[in-house]
Amino acid sequence: MARKKIALIGAGMIGGTLAHIAAREELGDVVLMDLAEGTAKGKALDIAEASPVFGKDSHLSGGSVEDYSPIKGADVCIVTAGVPRKPGMSRDDLLGINLKVMKSVGEGIKKFAPNAFVICITNPLDAMVWALREFSGLPHNMVVGMAGVLDSARFRWFLAEEFKVSVEDVTAFVMGGHGDTMVPLTRYSTVAGIPVPDMIAMGWTTQEKMDAIVDRTRSGGGEIVQLLGNGSAFYAPAESAIAMAKSYLNDKKRVLPCAVHLSGEFGVKDMYVGVPVVIGAGGAEKIVEISLNADEQTMFDHSVDAVKGLVKACKDIDPSLA
Ligand code: A3D
């Protein structure tokens, strides 16, 4: 059987990390594409030269987005092309620049990889994945956004630290848009199946500490931006997108929080928002429409409104999207 092909559009901090993980995990051949051709080729060559040491076989190459033909026939495309935040910037400040990038990337994918499963990471995520889907014209189930896996991983790590238990035994859910309005769902977060509210009742933590963890989850991206001083998180975002790609490539049918196209689910139409979804060989196969209590619904609606504003801004900037 021929190897799978993974196209990484954007060879910056996340793109390079994705290439490294994909090669180490032997997910398939890797093509790194960037405006900066030297960066894409240099990172591909550097990882290829590491492969005899880590002992895995895959072909790594780099190319310029002047010519998208190297992504031809890709099984998975992961898009990080664009600019990241600088300290003091919100994700939404990136909209104008990254919308133009989504247009060229979407057209490249449409022409050369129309059967790929596409994972968008570029911010502001929920609006960019929506625009990327529009520009590419791919089926909605084959274009998803990565944010919820990352936000939930941050939430899980904070919970594991608080309870002093293995990260493996903590599950957590973050829904909604990938911004300050995201909705970390304590009620659906567990330690080995025990809901977090029960952990509070058993005295393992307090409501105040949980509230602080929820706040820290919401501003988790900003915390890293401040610490790095230049650029944003890349290890955890890359790991999160790889988990989504593996679920698709291996038809694992994992239930992951992803930005997916909603057509009436949760009362939302023609928008991408983070919700739990089954990812398998059919792409985004089935949305899990969990029930929300009144407070959670209010937070979710607030988050959806924020995404709506961003989609409207995209349509205002590029009338072809209206
Ligand atoms: P960075 O290291 O700057 O890499 C971006 C790359 O995109 C650079 O190498 C650019 O040269 C390249 N690029 C710019 N324009 C184009 C174009 N038109 N075509 C192809 N390549 C282009 O950034 P990064 O890797 O740290 O982050 C990438 C994106 O992911 C940013 O928009 C971040 O805000 C976003 N991000 C999202 C999350 C989520 O959870 C959703 C987390 C972290 C970062």
Side-chain angles (χ1 to χ4, degrees), residues 90-273:
S90 79
R91 295 176 179 92
D92 303 356
D93 294 335
L94 308 172
L95 188 126
I97 309 170
N98 287 348
L99 183 62
K100 286 201 194 87
V101 177
M102 290 307 101
K103 188 173 169 66
S104 58
V105 174
E107 287 166 357
I109 291 175
K110 181 181 199 163
K111 189 160 177 203
F112 293 105
N115 298 318
F117 180 58
V118 179
I119 302 169
C120 180
I121 306 185
T122 302
N123 271 321
L125 190 270
D126 308 270
M128 291 303 101
V129 64
W130 175 86
L132 181 66
R133 204 308 304 172
E134 293 290 313
F135 291 129
S136 70
L138 265 60
H140 287 108
N141 59 305
M142 293 300 276
V143 182
V144 298
M146 186 298 292
V149 177
L150 169 65
D151 297 329
S152 302
R154 288 180 173 144
F155 195 18
R156 287 173 67 189
W157 187 73
F158 300 147
L159 291 172
E161 286 282 291
E162 171 62 12
F163 295 129
K164 301 189 177 50
V165 298
S166 166
V167 288
E168 273 191 85
D169 292 326
V170 179
T171 66
F173 247 111
V174 177
M175 281 180 59
H178 179 61
D180 305 336
T181 60
M182 70 179 76
V183 188
L185 290 178
T186 310
R187 209 161 58 90
Y188 283 110
S189 303
T190 73
V191 176
I194 305 155
V196 164
D198 292 12
M199 299 295 287
I200 299 174
M202 289 188 291
W204 281 59
T205 187
T206 61
Q207 188 59 51
E208 291 67 40
K209 284 188 176 163
M210 274 307 105
D211 293 345
I213 285 178
V214 164
D215 282 347
R216 191 174 176 199
T217 302
R218 286 206 177 102
S219 52
E223 185 178 358
I224 305 269
V225 169
Q226 283 302 330
L227 286 168
L228 294 179
N230 181 18
S232 53
F234 51 97
Y235 292 117
E239 286 289 354
S240 303
I242 291 284
M244 292 164 65
K246 280 164 68 176
S247 194
Y248 170 73
L249 289 168
N250 301 328
D251 193 22
K252 271 175 79 78
K253 303 202 189 295
R254 292 198 60 192
V255 181
L256 298 170
C258 305
V260 288
H261 185 261
L262 299 180
S263 43
E265 299 88 349
F266 294 97
V268 179
K269 279 215 176 98
D270 193 28
M271 270 173 61
Y272 273 79
V273 184

Side-chain angles (χ1 to χ4, degrees), residues 12-14 34-35 65 80-84 101 121 123 146 150 178 233:
M13 297 309 291
I14 302 178
D34 205 285
L35 268 185
V65 288
T80 59
V83 291
V101 177
I121 306 185
N123 271 321
M146 186 298 292
L150 169 65
H178 179 61

